[in-house]
Amino acid sequence: MPTSAFLPRALALTAAALLAATAAAPSAHASAPPPGEATSGEADTPLAPGAAYKAAYDTLGAQRLTPAQRRLDAAKQARAADTSATARGAGAALAGYKLSGALHQSQKTSYWCGPATLVITQSAHDGVAGRSQQDAATLLKTNTSGTAWYGVNINVPGPTGYPMADALNHRLPGAGYVPRALPYTPTATDKANFKQHITHNTDNDYAIAGNAWEVPGGPHLVGHPNIEIFHWVSIDGYNTDTAAAQVDYLDPVGGVSTSVISWAGSVPRSAHISSDTLTTIMGGRGYVW
């Protein structure tokens, strides 16, 4: 498959492009920016590699958190920042990677990275392996286009339109998962917040569900080709020696047969990546923490 910088979208979208875009939604770059857009002092942040592509092709409309989600996000942000400040003041122990203990599963179909990520992320907290991806796919309303980042209400009490967050909160009562949307070019604040969030979640025995949007010419997850791919992964730990400048994630494509996803053979089940790079990869979508 060609890998030119602006590969035609029809060719770039593979069977492993795992996100259902909101049908007929206005282009996000023409509407209100998602939460996490550039803050004061960061408006001149240089465009991230691939950001122009995302701005040109995004089909996801303006995203909205509920009032309850906004309150929860603010409260979690305050706790995460306090924890980070305390760790800096005490001097963080040098102990390599700290993991939440999520249990990997390879996705069962080319478009089930969302269901696999749900069961992997859930397992970080309750330690239960081998859950049904079919049950997860039914809950998430996954279809052959994949699992939506936003715009789909699932069958849980009080759905918010963010299916992964709603599913995790339904399956882990009290977990308090909340979506954090990211702009096409995440700012320094966005990147610093993500480091705090993965530290907070890991330290409290929770993984993060990340929604990657990989595009031609932009950064990619380990082993992924230079094409457009929408993909869910479970982010399950961080490097304590670098204050979360590197993180660990579990990729549902790892272990999948190449007869299901042609490029799966080069994808590891788990990998380390720069947290700043991963934040950029999730730009235009986001993560559930």
Side-chain angles (χ1 to χ4, degrees):
M1 181 176 290
T3 56
S4 60
F6 282 84
L7 184 67
R9 192 169 177 79
L11 296 178
L13 291 169
T14 70
L18 305 173
L19 177 73
T22 305
S27 174
H29 67 276
S31 58
E37 189 55 88
T39 55
S40 177
E42 296 179 298
D44 294 330
T45 301
L47 286 180
Y53 183 103
K54 293 180 179 183
Y57 289 107
D58 199 358
T59 59
L60 187 60
Q63 302 167 51
R64 297 288 184 264
L65 297 181
T66 66
Q69 284 176 321
R70 291 185 181 279
R71 290 191 297 270
L72 176 59
D73 184 70
K76 290 187 72 173
Q77 181 66 60
R79 291 196 300 271
D82 286 346
T83 300
S84 178
T86 300
R88 288 196 305 271
L94 300 181
Y97 276 85
K98 182 174 184 179
L99 304 177
S100 58
L103 303 168
H104 182 268
Q105 281 195 32
S106 300
Q107 60 192 76
K108 301 296 185 182
T109 75
S110 63
Y111 52 90
W112 272 11
C113 66
T117 293
L118 173 58
V119 298
I120 294 169
T121 303
Q122 182 182 351
S123 74
H125 189 70
D126 62 19
V128 178
R131 283 190 177 85
S132 166
Q133 290 183 30
Q134 178 63 73
D135 290 347
T138 300
L139 176 61
L140 290 166
K141 294 190 175 180
T142 301
N143 58 31
T144 54
S145 295
T147 300
W149 161 246
Y150 174 69
V152 172
N153 285 327
I154 64 172
N155 296 321
V156 298
T160 68
Y162 288 91
M164 186 64 73
D166 290 343
L168 284 167
N169 286 328
H170 177 69
R171 289 188 163 196
L172 294 172
Y177 273 99
V178 64
R180 176 60 69 97
L182 293 168
Y184 306 131
T185 299
T187 66
T189 297
D190 293 322
K191 293 174 181 179
N193 286 340
F194 176 68
K195 293 182 180 72
Q196 292 179 350
H197 297 169
I198 186 58
T199 300
H200 174 273
N201 274 41
T202 304
D203 290 353
N204 287 282
D205 198 31
Y206 290 99
I208 284 176
N211 194 198
W213 184 4
E214 304 170 274
V215 299
H220 287 262
L221 298 171
V222 177
H224 287 214
N226 185 35
I227 58 175
E228 184 174 39
I229 305 169
F230 293 97
H231 188 49
W232 285 97
V233 296
S234 185
I235 308 158
D236 77 324
Y238 66 96
N239 189 339
T240 64
D241 298 348
T242 64
Q246 291 84 33
V247 296
D248 186 85
Y249 69 92
L250 303 179
D251 191 332
V253 172
V256 173
S257 169
T258 54
S259 65
V260 176
I261 297 174
S262 61
W263 43 267
S266 62
V267 178
R269 288 174 169 82
S270 66
H272 298 159
I273 194 171
S274 158
S275 59
D276 287 356
T277 298
L278 183 55
T279 305
T280 298
I281 289 172
M282 295 185 294
R285 294 300 181 261
Y287 56 93
V288 177
W289 74 291

